Coordinates of all heavy atoms in Angstrom, one line a residue:
G669 N 37.3 73.5 99.2 CA 36.1 72.8 99.3 C 35.6 72.4 100.7 O 35.1 71.3 100.9
R670 N 35.9 73.3 101.6 CA 35.4 73.1 103.0 C 34.7 74.3 103.5 O 34.9 75.4 103.0 CB 36.7 72.8 103.9 CG 37.4 71.6 103.6 CD 36.6 70.3 103.9 NE 37.5 69.1 103.9 CZ 37.7 68.4 102.7 NH1 37.2 68.9 101.6 NH2 38.4 67.4 102.7
K671 N 33.9 74.2 104.6 CA 33.2 75.3 105.1 C 34.3 76.2 105.9 O 35.3 75.7 106.4 CB 32.2 74.9 106.1 CG 31.0 74.1 105.4 CD 29.9 73.8 106.4 CE 28.7 73.1 105.7 NZ 27.7 72.7 106.7
P672 N 34.0 77.5 106.0 CA 35.0 78.4 106.7 C 35.3 77.9 108.1 O 36.5 78.0 108.5 CB 34.2 79.7 106.7 CG 33.4 79.7 105.4 CD 32.9 78.3 105.3
A673 N 34.3 77.4 108.8 CA 34.6 77.0 110.2 C 35.5 75.8 110.2 O 36.4 75.7 111.0 CB 33.2 76.5 110.8
A674 N 35.4 74.9 109.2 CA 36.3 73.8 109.1 C 37.7 74.2 108.8 O 38.7 73.7 109.3 CB 35.8 72.8 108.0
C675 N 37.8 75.3 107.9 CA 39.1 75.8 107.6 C 39.8 76.5 108.8 O 41.0 76.4 109.0 CB 39.0 76.8 106.5 SG 38.4 76.1 104.9
R676 N 39.0 77.1 109.6 CA 39.5 77.7 110.9 C 40.1 76.6 111.8 O 41.1 76.8 112.4 CB 38.4 78.4 111.6 CG 38.8 79.4 112.7 CD 37.6 80.0 113.4 NE 36.9 80.8 112.4 CZ 37.1 82.1 112.1 NH1 38.2 82.7 112.7 NH2 36.4 82.7 111.2
Q677 N 39.4 75.5 111.8 CA 39.9 74.4 112.7 C 41.2 73.8 112.1 O 42.1 73.4 112.8 CB 38.8 73.3 112.8 CG 37.6 73.7 113.6 CD 36.6 72.6 113.7 OE1 36.5 71.7 112.8 NE2 35.8 72.6 114.7
L678 N 41.2 73.7 110.7 CA 42.5 73.2 110.1 C 43.7 74.1 110.5 O 44.7 73.6 110.8 CB 42.3 73.1 108.6 CG 41.4 72.0 108.0 CD1 41.0 72.3 106.6 CD2 42.0 70.7 108.2
A679 N 43.5 75.4 110.4 CA 44.6 76.3 110.7 C 44.9 76.2 112.1 O 46.1 76.3 112.5 CB 44.1 77.7 110.3
S680 N 43.9 76.1 113.0 CA 44.2 76.0 114.4 C 45.0 74.7 114.8 O 46.0 74.8 115.5 CB 42.9 76.0 115.2 OG 43.1 75.8 116.6
R681 N 44.7 73.6 114.2 CA 45.4 72.4 114.4 C 46.8 72.5 113.9 O 47.8 72.0 114.5 CB 44.7 71.2 113.7 CG 43.5 70.7 114.4 CD 43.2 69.2 114.1 NE 43.0 69.0 112.6 CZ 41.9 69.1 112.0 NH1 40.8 69.3 112.6 NH2 41.8 68.9 110.7
A682 N 47.0 73.2 112.8 CA 48.3 73.4 112.2 C 49.2 74.2 113.2 O 50.3 73.9 113.4 CB 48.2 74.1 110.9
R683 N 48.6 75.3 113.7 CA 49.4 76.1 114.7 C 49.9 75.3 115.9 O 51.0 75.5 116.3 CB 48.5 77.3 115.2 CG 48.2 78.3 114.1 CD 47.5 79.5 114.7 NE 46.7 80.1 113.7 CZ 45.4 80.0 113.6 NH1 44.7 79.4 114.6 NH2 44.7 80.6 112.6
V684 N 49.0 74.4 116.4 CA 49.4 73.6 117.5 C 50.6 72.6 117.1 O 51.6 72.5 117.9 CB 48.2 72.7 118.0 CG1 48.7 71.7 119.1 CG2 47.2 73.7 118.6
N685 N 50.5 72.1 115.9 CA 51.5 71.1 115.5 C 52.9 71.7 115.2 O 53.9 71.0 115.2 CB 51.0 70.3 114.3 CG 49.9 69.4 114.6 OD1 49.8 68.9 115.7 ND2 49.0 69.1 113.7
I686 N 52.9 73.0 114.8 CA 54.2 73.6 114.4 C 54.6 74.7 115.3 O 55.6 75.4 115.0 CB 54.1 74.1 113.0 CG1 53.1 75.3 112.9 CG2 53.7 73.0 112.0 CD1 53.0 75.9 111.6
R687 N 54.0 74.9 116.5 CA 54.3 76.0 117.3 C 55.7 76.1 117.8 O 56.3 77.1 117.9 CB 53.3 76.1 118.5 CG 53.4 74.9 119.4 CD 52.3 75.0 120.5 NE 52.2 73.8 121.3 CZ 51.2 73.5 122.1 NH1 50.2 74.4 122.2 NH2 51.1 72.4 122.8
N688 N 56.3 74.9 118.0 CA 57.7 74.9 118.5 C 58.7 75.3 117.4 O 59.9 75.6 117.7 CB 58.1 73.5 119.0 CG 57.4 73.2 120.3 OD1 57.0 74.1 121.1 ND2 57.2 71.9 120.6
A689 N 58.3 75.2 116.1 CA 59.2 75.6 115.0 C 59.1 77.0 114.6 O 59.9 77.5 113.8 CB 58.8 74.7 113.8
R690 N 58.1 77.7 115.2 CA 58.0 79.2 114.8 C 59.0 80.0 115.5 O 59.4 79.8 116.7 CB 56.6 79.7 115.2 CG 55.5 78.9 114.5 CD 54.2 79.7 114.5 NE 54.2 80.7 113.5 CZ 53.1 81.4 113.1 NH1 52.0 81.2 113.7 NH2 53.2 82.3 112.2
R691 N 59.5 80.9 114.8 CA 60.6 81.8 115.3 C 60.2 82.6 116.5 O 59.2 83.3 116.5 CB 61.1 82.7 114.2 CG 62.3 83.6 114.6 CD 63.0 84.1 113.4 NE 62.1 84.7 112.4 CZ 62.5 85.2 111.2 NH1 63.8 85.1 110.9 NH2 61.7 85.7 110.4
R692 N 61.0 82.4 117.6 CA 60.6 83.1 118.8 C 61.1 84.5 118.9 O 60.6 85.4 119.6 CB 61.1 82.3 120.0 CG 60.3 81.0 120.3 CD 60.7 80.3 121.5 NE 61.9 79.6 121.4 CZ 61.9 78.3 120.9 NH1 60.8 77.7 120.5 NH2 63.1 77.7 120.7
F693 N 62.2 84.7 118.2 CA 62.8 86.1 118.1 C 63.6 86.2 116.8 O 64.1 85.2 116.3 CB 63.7 86.4 119.3 CG 64.9 85.5 119.4 CD1 66.1 85.9 118.9 CD2 64.8 84.3 120.1 CE1 67.2 85.1 118.9 CE2 65.9 83.5 120.2 CZ 67.1 83.9 119.6
A694 N 63.6 87.4 116.3 CA 64.4 87.6 115.1 C 65.8 88.1 115.4 O 66.0 89.1 116.1 CB 63.7 88.7 114.2
M695 N 66.8 87.3 115.0 CA 68.2 87.7 115.2 C 68.6 88.8 114.3 O 68.3 88.8 113.1 CB 69.0 86.5 115.0 CG 70.5 86.8 115.1 SD 71.5 85.3 115.2 CE 71.2 84.8 116.9
P696 N 69.3 89.8 114.9 CA 69.8 90.9 114.0 C 70.7 90.3 113.0 O 71.5 89.3 113.2 CB 70.6 91.7 115.0 CG 70.0 91.5 116.3 CD 69.6 90.1 116.3
R697 N 70.6 90.8 111.8 CA 71.3 90.2 110.6 C 72.8 90.2 110.9 O 73.5 89.1 110.6 CB 71.1 91.1 109.4 CG 71.8 90.6 108.1 CD 71.4 91.5 107.0 NE 72.1 91.1 105.8 CZ 71.7 90.1 104.9 NH1 70.5 89.6 105.2 NH2 72.3 89.7 103.9
E698 N 73.4 91.2 111.4 CA 74.9 91.3 111.6 C 75.3 90.2 112.6 O 76.3 89.5 112.4 CB 75.3 92.7 112.1 CG 75.1 93.8 111.1 CD 73.6 94.2 111.0 OE1 72.8 93.8 111.9 OE2 73.2 94.9 110.1
Q699 N 74.5 90.0 113.7 CA 74.9 89.0 114.7 C 74.8 87.6 114.1 O 75.7 86.8 114.4 CB 73.9 89.2 115.9 CG 74.3 88.2 117.0 CD 73.3 88.3 118.1 OE1 72.3 89.1 118.1 NE2 73.4 87.4 119.1

């Protein structure tokens, strides 16, 4: 129930708030 532009802003704010938690590299399974 929001305009697409508002949804874009919601997603952008979310990325800023969680950026430190996003995986920076994928560790090989065996390692």
Side-chain angles (χ1 to χ4, degrees):
R670 297 291 189 276
K671 293 182 179 179
C675 295
R676 192 181 300 274
Q677 290 179 337
L678 287 168
S680 178
R681 286 204 302 268
R683 291 186 207 107
V684 171
N685 288 331
I686 65 176
R687 60 188 171 190
N688 290 335
R690 302 201 74 172
R691 181 160 49 186
R692 287 185 282 275
F693 62 92
M695 171 168 287
R697 180 180 180 84
E698 296 76 12
Q699 181 183 358

